[in-house]
Amino acid sequence: MRVILLGPPGAGKGTQAAAVKERFQIPHISTGDMLREHVKEGTELGRKAKEYMDGGKLVPDDLIIAMMEDRLSKEDCAGGFLLDGFPRTLPQAEALDRLLSKMGIKLDGVVLLDVSDDVVVERLSGRRVCRSCGAIYHVSFHPSSRGDLCEACGGELYQRDDDREEVIRRRLKVYHEQTAPLESYYEGKGLLRRVSGEGATDAVLKVLQGN
Ligand code: AMP
C-alpha cells in the first residue's frame, strides 16, 4: 500500500494515518515530524528549516526532496508507506514521480482529507502538545485532566509556534496557493479520492480498504 494523504494543516492527517499504519503495518512518514526532529536535534537541516516553519512558510523544495529521497530508500519502505505532508508543491510531486519510477514502483492512491478553513483554525489554535512524549490535546475538545501538564507522562504542554492564529491563517493561504493544485494533478492521474475530515477518524482507512 503506497499512499499519499493530502489536506490542509489541521485536517487530521496524523490521526487518520495512525489507523492506516496499524492496519497495513506500513511506516507513516510525516515530513513535519521529521523536520521537527531535525530542529530538536539541532542538525544543519533543522537550523535551515526552523525559520520557515515558525513563520508558517514552506521549507525549500530541494531540502525536502533530498530528505525524502533518503527516507524512501530505507528498507522499511519496501512493503509500502503512507506519506503525510509530502508532496506539498508541484515540483515536489514531480520529484516524487521521478523517484518512484526510478524505484520501479507506483502509487496506489491519494486521499484528500477535506475540511473548511474555520474548522482548521478552531482545531489548531486550541491544540497543545506534550513537550516530553508528544501526546496531543485540545483546550476545548480534549483537555488534559492535569491542566497544563500531560495526563500520560506529566510533561509540560505547549502550543507550537506555528499553531498561533496568525500563523495558521498564513499556513492555510500557503496550502490554497501551493498545495491545493496537487488535487487536480492527482485527479488527472485518476488517483484522487476525497474524504471528509470532519467525520470519523478512520474514514481514510475505510476508503483504502474499499480499494
Ligand atoms: P506539518 O506538521 O505537516 O504541518 O509541517 C509543519 C511545517 O513543516 C510546515 O508548515 C512547513 O514549514 C514544513 N514542512 C512540512 N512538510 C513540508 C513539505 N513537504 N514542504 C515544505 N515544507 C514542509
Side-chain angles (χ1 to χ4, degrees), residues 29-39 67-68 71:
I29 301 175
S30 153
T31 42
D33 286 350
M34 290 171 77
L35 290 168
R36 280 185 288 279
E37 200 55 40
H38 277 279
V39 171
M67 179 176 87
M68 288 306 284
R71 181 65 188 88

Side-chain angles (χ1 to χ4, degrees), residues 126-156:
R127 181 160 74 175
R128 298 293 180 271
V129 186
C130 173
R131 227 180 256 291
S132 308
C133 74
I136 293 174
Y137 297 88
H138 189 282
V139 291
S140 321
F141 308 141
H142 176 40
S144 166
S145 59
R146 298 177 67 184
D148 291 339
L149 300 179
C150 177
E151 265 172 23
C153 77
E156 179 203 357

Side-chain angles (χ1 to χ4, degrees), residues 9-10 13 30-33 35-36 49 52-54 56-61 64 67-68 84-89 92 127 160 162 171:
K13 298 193 289 296
S30 153
T31 42
D33 286 350
L35 290 168
R36 280 185 288 279
Y52 297 99
M53 295 170 75
D54 287 349
K57 296 189 188 131
L58 292 184
V59 174
D61 286 336
I64 298 289
M67 179 176 87
M68 288 306 284
D84 161 2
F86 174 87
R88 240 163 157 122
T89 63
Q92 288 182 18
R127 181 160 74 175
R160 273 168 49 175
D162 58 353
R171 290 166 70 197

Side-chain angles (χ1 to χ4, degrees), residues 8-190:
K13 298 193 289 296
T15 309
Q16 298 276 349
V20 176
K21 175 187 170 161
E22 187 174 316
R23 166 66 185 78
F24 292 104
Q25 297 291 308
I26 49 176
H28 165 210
I29 301 175
S30 153
T31 42
D33 286 350
M34 290 171 77
L35 290 168
R36 280 185 288 279
E37 200 55 40
H38 277 279
V39 171
K40 206 162 129 192
E41 306 269 309
T43 67
E44 194 189 336
L45 172 58
R47 280 196 298 276
K48 285 182 184 158
K50 185 174 184 344
E51 187 185 323
Y52 297 99
M53 295 170 75
D54 287 349
K57 296 189 188 131
L58 292 184
V59 174
D61 286 336
D62 55 339
L63 297 178
I64 298 289
I65 291 166
M67 179 176 87
M68 288 306 284
E69 281 186 356
D70 185 55
R71 181 65 188 88
L72 290 173
S73 64
K74 295 251 157 52
E75 209 174 299
D76 65 335
C77 292
F81 47 75
L82 176 66
L83 301 182
D84 161 2
F86 174 87
R88 240 163 157 122
T89 63
L90 225 36
Q92 288 182 18
E94 288 161 359
L96 177 64
D97 280 348
R98 284 194 298 274
L99 180 65
L100 295 181
S101 83
K102 208 163 73 187
M103 294 167 80
I105 54 184
K106 280 201 167 80
L107 288 172
D108 293 298
V110 178
V111 183
L112 169 67
L113 257 185
D114 240 345
V115 292
S116 71
D117 285 7
D118 287 345
V119 168
V120 167
V121 172
E122 190 181 24
R123 282 185 183 173
L124 292 189
S125 59
R127 181 160 74 175
R128 298 293 180 271
V129 186
C130 173
R131 227 180 256 291
S132 308
C133 74
I136 293 174
Y137 297 88
H138 189 282
V139 291
S140 321
F141 308 141
H142 176 40
S144 166
S145 59
R146 298 177 67 184
D148 291 339
L149 300 179
C150 177
E151 265 172 23
C153 77
E156 179 203 357
L157 300 186
Y158 78 107
Q159 182 177 41
R160 273 168 49 175
D161 283 337
D162 58 353
D163 279 347
R164 287 175 290 124
E165 183 163 345
E166 72 274 19
V167 184
I168 297 166
R169 299 265 177 213
R170 205 171 318 138
R171 290 166 70 197
L172 278 167
K173 187 164 180 277
V174 167
Y175 179 82
H176 292 303
E177 286 173 3
Q178 302 197 53
T179 309
L182 297 185
E183 295 171 20
S184 45
Y185 180 78
Y186 288 117
E187 202 150 37
K189 290 174 179 281

